[in-house]
């Protein structure tokens, strides 16, 4: 079976979607987190949240903009994460500046105008760190050090010195980027019909494969032996861990290539389901018919139709 290869096309509207959602999504989410962080900052959870929104908004732009280039998806996942975190730190900068301005106002009275106050703040950062503006603020904040540990209070908890504060910020950024990339890149690797200019429809489940037959099933699929592969597929949903076998097609043309998607499904002790893609490849129209007909033929001969076992399983997590 040949793998699915994206065409790497990025239409003009795709760039517009990517640029719009990466800046908009980044600024809105980063700004909102900076606002909330004045009262409460959740370690790991907020960076993870920023990662999910970065990846999610990039994935929406990819779908809407019909972006079929995984590298562009990766790049914008990265960029959106950077804009989000930059906006968060930028928001912190803005709010710190505001509270400094209030202090100055309290000291000098109302007759000092905002521009003068800002100049004073810049001069302060310049004096403390050798840089003014946003960079001056960052260096100053790092010098002050942050403290981590107690949720919602900056007073107690584990204080971090300058080096560890920079390191901690770097870790936050890494968390955001890792999650963002993991969501954005696969979105651009989904099968797309270049004739109809649309994404393939959601998968049609043809059956599941029990764990002990997974390996041989995957091998026979890779070797293009569809009739034999079909003998390992059961039309009913077998116990987890299992492989779930779906066929995906373009809804616009019914003669085109069909994508075969195989996902592994397992549940942990708490019953939370997890799906991960094992295989995505292209079948000719004839091969896909061969496969689905062989599965339904074998299930008819094996079982009496007791209940609709092909119906969806309980948890659609993931
Ligand atoms: Zn099509």
């Amino acid at each position: 079976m040949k793998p699915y290869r994206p065409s790497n096309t990025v239409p003009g509207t795709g760039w517009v979607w990517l640029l719009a959602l990466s800046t908009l999504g980044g600024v809105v989410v980063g700004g909102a987190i900076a606002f909330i962080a004045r009262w409460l900052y959740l370690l790991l959870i907020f960076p993870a949240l920023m990662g999910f929104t970065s990846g999610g908004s990039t994935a929406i732009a990819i779908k809407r903009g019909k972006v079929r280039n995984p590298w562009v998806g990766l790049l914008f996942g990265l960029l959106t994460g950077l804009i989000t975190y930059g906006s968060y730190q930028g928001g912190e900068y803005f709010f710190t500046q505001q509270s400094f301005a209030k202090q100055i106002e309290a000291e000098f009275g109302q007759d000092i105008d905002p521009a003068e106050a800002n100049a004073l703040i810049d001069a302060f950062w310049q004096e403390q760190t050798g840089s003014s503006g946003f960079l001056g603020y960052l260096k100053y904040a790092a010098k002050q050090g942050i403290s981590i540990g107690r949720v919602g209070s900056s007073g107690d908890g584990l204080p971090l010195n300058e080096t560890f504060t920079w390191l901690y910020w770097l870790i936050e950024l890494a968390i955001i980027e890792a999650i963002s990339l993991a969501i954005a890149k696969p979105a651009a690797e989904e099968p797309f019909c270049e004739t109809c200019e649309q994404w393939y429809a959601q998968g049609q489940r043809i059956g599941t494969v029990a764990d002990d037959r997974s390996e041989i099933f995957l091998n026979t699929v890779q070797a293009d032996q569809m009739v034999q592969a079909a003998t390992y597929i059961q039309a009913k949903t077998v116990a987890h861990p299992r492989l779930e076998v779906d066929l995906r097609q373009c809804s616009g043309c019914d003669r085109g290539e069909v994508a075969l998607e195989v996902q592994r499904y397992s549940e942990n002790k708490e019953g939370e389901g997890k799906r991960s893609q094992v295989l995505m490849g292209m079948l000719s129209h004839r091969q896909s018919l061969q496969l689905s007909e062989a599965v339904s033929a074998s299930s008819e001969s094996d079982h009496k139709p007791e209940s609709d076992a092909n119906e969806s399983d309980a948890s659609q997590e993931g």
Side-chain angles (χ1 to χ4, degrees):
M1 190 177 62
K2 60 176 184 169
Y4 172 69
R5 295 210 189 286
S7 67
N8 288 337
T9 308
V10 184
T13 48
W15 292 111
V16 176
W17 272 104
L18 286 168
L19 285 168
L21 287 196
S22 65
T23 46
L24 201 75
V27 169
V28 168
V29 174
I33 297 272
F35 183 75
I36 297 167
R38 295 160 79 194
W39 298 280
L40 164 94
Y41 191 82
L42 299 174
L43 278 181
L44 300 177
I45 295 177
F46 277 6
L49 191 74
M50 289 189 258
F52 280 113
T53 58
S54 299
S57 58
T58 311
I60 292 171
I62 287 168
K63 288 289 137 206
R64 294 292 174 93
K66 300 178 178 177
V67 175
R68 289 96 80 187
N69 189 320
W71 299 108
V72 171
L74 187 141
L75 189 77
F76 272 85
L78 208 72
L79 185 71
T80 313
L82 212 58
I83 293 175
T84 307
Y85 196 59
S87 301
Y88 159 65
Q89 289 287 5
E92 292 268 13
Y93 167 56
F94 173 77
F95 290 124
T96 307
Q97 214 173 15
Q98 275 203 326
S99 79
F100 275 21
K102 273 210 183 92
Q103 282 174 36
I104 292 170
E105 218 177 72
E107 227 166 283
F108 292 85
Q110 295 288 355
D111 53 328
I112 191 157
D113 69 290
E116 264 181 296
N118 280 344
L120 276 174
I121 297 166
D122 260 346
F124 172 71
W125 280 327
Q126 183 77 45
E127 180 203 307
Q128 292 283 323
T129 68
S131 314
S132 60
F134 181 52
L135 187 63
Y137 155 75
L138 272 186
K139 284 183 176 175
Y140 177 74
K143 242 172 110 174
Q144 297 292 99
I146 53 169
S147 73
I148 59 171
R150 199 70 63 84
V151 164
S153 68
S154 48
D156 36 53
L158 178 70
L160 299 181
N161 68 16
E162 190 175 353
T163 312
F164 277 103
T165 299
W166 283 111
L167 196 68
Y168 174 74
W169 285 340
L170 222 74
I171 292 169
E172 284 198 322
L173 182 62
I175 292 171
I176 295 171
E177 296 294 21
I179 296 175
S180 183
L181 290 187
I183 298 172
K185 187 168 175 272
E189 289 168 336
E190 290 275 289
F192 187 92
C193 177
E194 299 291 331
T195 316
C196 308
E197 296 257 305
Q198 64 181 23
W199 297 101
Y200 274 38
Q202 286 300 307
Q204 295 280 329
R205 176 73 35 88
I206 59 170
T208 57
V209 179
D211 194 39
D212 56 345
R213 294 168 164 190
S214 295
E215 209 180 316
I216 186 156
F217 166 72
L218 291 170
N219 288 339
T220 47
V221 167
Q222 294 286 20
D224 276 322
Q225 296 165 332
M226 292 309 153
V227 177
Q228 213 216 316
T231 60
Y232 305 115
I233 303 176
Q234 288 174 271
K236 63 171 185 172
T237 303
V238 298
H240 69 88
R242 60 171 175 259
L243 297 181
E244 299 180 338
V245 187
D246 294 339
L247 291 179
R248 297 179 63 176
Q249 241 166 324
C250 168
S251 61
C253 53
D254 55 359
R255 305 290 313 161
E257 282 187 319
V258 178
L260 176 74
E261 186 176 27
V262 181
Q263 291 173 291
R264 186 180 302 280
Y265 178 81
S266 58
E267 283 174 21
N268 62 14
K269 286 192 188 94
E270 282 79 43
E272 291 162 345
K274 184 171 172 265
R275 270 192 186 80
S276 55
Q277 195 182 74
V278 181
L279 188 76
M280 167 81 90
M282 302 309 281
L283 304 177
S284 68
H285 192 71
R286 210 178 65 86
Q287 275 181 313
S288 77
L289 282 180
Q290 236 179 10
L291 187 66
S292 50
E293 274 165 13
V295 173
S296 57
S298 73
S299 70
E300 268 161 36
S301 62
D302 283 0
H303 315 275
K304 295 181 191 91
E306 32 181 341
S307 69
D308 234 351
N310 215 3
E311 218 45 58
S312 67
D313 49 312
S315 62
Q316 288 292 338
E317 196 55 37

